[in-house]
Amino acid sequence: MQEIKKRRIVLASVLKPVNDPRMFEKMGQSLSPHYEVHIIGTKSKSDSSHDNIIFHPLASYTRLGLDRILSPLRILKKILYLKPALLVICTHELLWVVLIVKIFLRCPVVYDIRENYFRNILYTNSFPALLRVFIALYVRIKEWITIPAINTYFLAEVGYEKELSFVRNKNIILENKLKKILLPPARKWSADDHDIHLLFSGTLAVTTGVFVGIDLATKLHALEPRIRLHIIGFSAMNTVYHEIRDQTKDKDFIFFKESHEPVPHVEILSAIQKADFGIIAYPPNLSTENTIPTKLFEYLGYQLPIFLIDHGAWVSRCGPYRAAIPFQQHNINGAGILHAIRHQTFYSTAPDDVFWESEEHKLLQTVVVLPNKLF
């Protein structure tokens, strides 16, 4: 009996590597049993292979260079060659590409919104101050103009429903939760351990709180010499690496190994498994006020106790599991935190609503169970 040919889905991004956790580990692997999945992204420094997913790695781009500006044209060429039955774009930089794809292929398109790009550009220092307003407005105008060409919006945050009015009633929330894997749970610290291992993982930036984390670890180490801090992650800005080096050069209790490419996700998860406490220290910022950090799901999923900046929604999310020790950025109570380390019982209840599998069900309902809606 002749095998039925699977419909082809292409997931594409400009700056994310082909093995990006959301594109590959979550959406790609969830869809691959049912569809022929292709992923277009930058080349990864780690092994990128999967029996049921075909990768199309492109050369890395400089953040503000001409090669990045022209990269959507290279991706468009690949999309037109592949002729997908469904296209999923994972960045605003491919929105103009969508208009061309609609003309030549007429395939349905999903816009996977993992960031509120308008707010991220406007309220962070990713771009020169004089350009931020113009770039942010340009992105938002693109999103509005291309509304008729987008069949469905995937939102990585519940809060984006109220921030992004242009998604109207065409959105599905797919939170960036932790995919269950076979790594062992995080190690459990006890008062008898020689060192206390803290972890700051993920994107390294002022807005993600890496310097708040360094300050927190420094203050705790002054009170408790067993404190150690491991920083692992990636920044698109060299100035961040210079500042981290400057702030840690005389602190032998802080370990930081620079990586100028995205760190493989398995290395992040391995660091979580080896840590005693994770740090989530985003300073207040309009770009993140309605978001849930991906590493909050990761730390909760691994039952890693958290030093958590006092953000109401995040503290509430951790509350039922006794997962976190809240702290205030400008009034760090080191003695109180150390007391909680020694006496608080963490994870008296195991977290349940933190795993990707609950989001996978919604993805498959949209793309697999209801194929006629998109195809």
Side-chain angles (χ1 to χ4, degrees):
M1 185 175 180
Q2 186 176 6
E3 183 180 355
I4 299 176
K5 186 176 180 180
K6 293 181 178 180
R7 283 173 169 150
R8 180 175 294 168
I9 294 179
V10 171
L11 297 96
S13 180
V14 171
L15 289 180
K16 298 297 182 183
V18 289
N19 61 353
D20 168 72
R22 183 170 173 90
M23 272 203 308
F24 167 51
E25 294 179 10
K26 297 171 187 176
M27 289 196 292
Q29 290 188 18
S30 295
L31 293 169
S32 63
H34 312 278
Y35 292 95
E36 179 187 313
V37 175
H38 295 249
I39 297 180
I40 303 172
T42 59
K43 186 177 181 180
S44 170
K45 69 176 183 179
S46 61
D47 177 56
S48 300
S49 61
H50 189 276
D51 291 341
N52 298 318
I53 296 175
I54 302 167
F55 295 102
H56 301 268
L58 305 172
S60 299
Y61 316 115
T62 53
R63 196 173 70 88
L64 298 177
L66 181 63
D67 50 355
R68 175 176 178 178
I69 296 173
L70 296 177
S71 62
L73 295 177
R74 298 167 63 192
I75 294 173
L76 171 63
K77 183 179 178 180
K78 283 191 173 289
I79 293 171
L80 293 177
Y81 173 78
L82 290 170
K83 296 182 174 61
L86 171 66
L87 172 64
V88 181
I89 63 165
C90 303
T91 172
H92 68 87
E93 291 171 281
L94 294 176
L95 283 171
W96 293 138
V97 167
V98 167
L99 298 181
I100 301 174
V101 168
K102 282 288 189 177
I103 293 171
F104 288 96
L105 301 182
R106 297 184 180 275
C107 72
V109 177
V110 173
Y111 179 15
D112 179 42
I113 303 179
R114 58 175 69 187
E115 303 175 28
N116 183 339
Y117 299 104
F118 176 84
R119 288 196 178 201
N120 282 8
I121 294 167
L122 193 61
Y123 299 121
T124 69
N125 59 357
S126 297
F127 294 95
L130 292 177
L131 293 178
R132 288 176 201 163
V133 174
F134 298 102
I135 297 174
L137 287 173
Y138 170 66
V139 170
R140 185 48 46 87
I141 289 169
K142 278 196 301 184
E143 290 175 325
W144 275 97
I145 289 175
T146 55
I147 287 172
I150 303 298
N151 296 78
T152 298
Y153 296 90
F154 289 160
L155 304 183
E157 303 283 353
V158 174
Y160 289 167
E161 279 194 306
K162 65 179 181 181
E163 289 184 9
L164 306 174
S165 59
F166 64 85
V167 302
R168 297 175 180 173
N169 298 316
K170 297 197 294 184
N171 67 282
I172 304 293
I173 296 171
L174 295 179
E175 288 187 284
N176 226 6
K177 296 179 180 178
L178 173 68
K179 186 174 182 180
K180 288 183 179 178
I181 57 176
L182 298 178
L183 282 178
R187 68 190 297 272
K188 303 296 184 183
W189 178 80
S190 74
D192 297 327
D193 288 349
H194 178 69
D195 291 327
I196 305 171
H197 298 274
L198 314 186
L199 174 68
F200 187 98
S201 62
T203 303
L204 306 179
V206 174
T207 51
T208 62
V210 63
F211 301 113
V212 178
I214 291 171
D215 181 54
L216 172 65
T218 301
K219 288 183 166 69
L220 293 177
H221 182 267
L223 299 173
E224 173 52 86
R226 293 186 296 165
I227 290 289
R228 301 286 182 268
L229 173 62
H230 180 196
I231 301 172
I232 180 171
F234 168 73
S235 176
M237 302 178 68
N238 285 327
T239 54
V240 172
Y241 292 113
H242 295 321
E243 183 64 22
I244 293 175
R245 286 199 299 266
D246 287 344
Q247 292 198 19
T248 62
K249 61 183 178 182
D250 297 323
K251 298 172 181 176
D252 59 3
F253 60 93
I254 297 179
F255 173 71
F256 171 57
K257 182 180 179 181
E258 287 189 26
S259 175
H260 291 273
E261 296 181 15
V263 177
H265 195 221
V266 67
E267 291 186 21
I268 299 287
L269 298 182
S270 179
I272 292 172
Q273 186 269 328
K274 296 174 183 175
D276 297 312
F277 296 87
I279 298 175
I280 297 179
Y282 290 65
N285 189 289
L286 290 174
S287 68
T288 55
E289 66 174 352
N290 295 313
T291 66
I292 301 292
T294 299
K295 63 181 173 181
L296 180 59
F297 292 124
E298 293 174 342
Y299 293 174
L300 288 172
Y302 277 88
Q303 297 190 32
L304 179 69
I306 305 166
F307 296 158
L308 182 62
I309 201 161
D310 195 9
H311 184 293
W314 305 344
V315 172
S316 296
R317 188 129 193 176
C318 294
Y321 318 118
R322 294 181 59 82
I325 302 172
F327 71 91
Q328 296 181 349
Q329 175 185 352
H330 300 295
N331 185 24
I332 295 175
N333 180 1
I337 292 173
L338 292 173
H339 181 270
I341 286 176
R342 298 184 183 102
H343 300 288
Q344 181 169 323
T345 300
F346 298 97
Y347 292 100
S348 51
T349 301
D352 53 2
D353 187 27
V354 297
F355 296 108
W356 168 253
E357 282 68 19
S358 64
E359 307 304 292
E360 180 181 61
H361 173 71
K362 292 184 285 184
L363 172 67
L364 297 180
Q365 271 195 327
T366 303
V367 178
V368 179
V369 180
L370 301 175
N372 293 330
K373 181 178 179 181
L374 290 178
F375 294 110

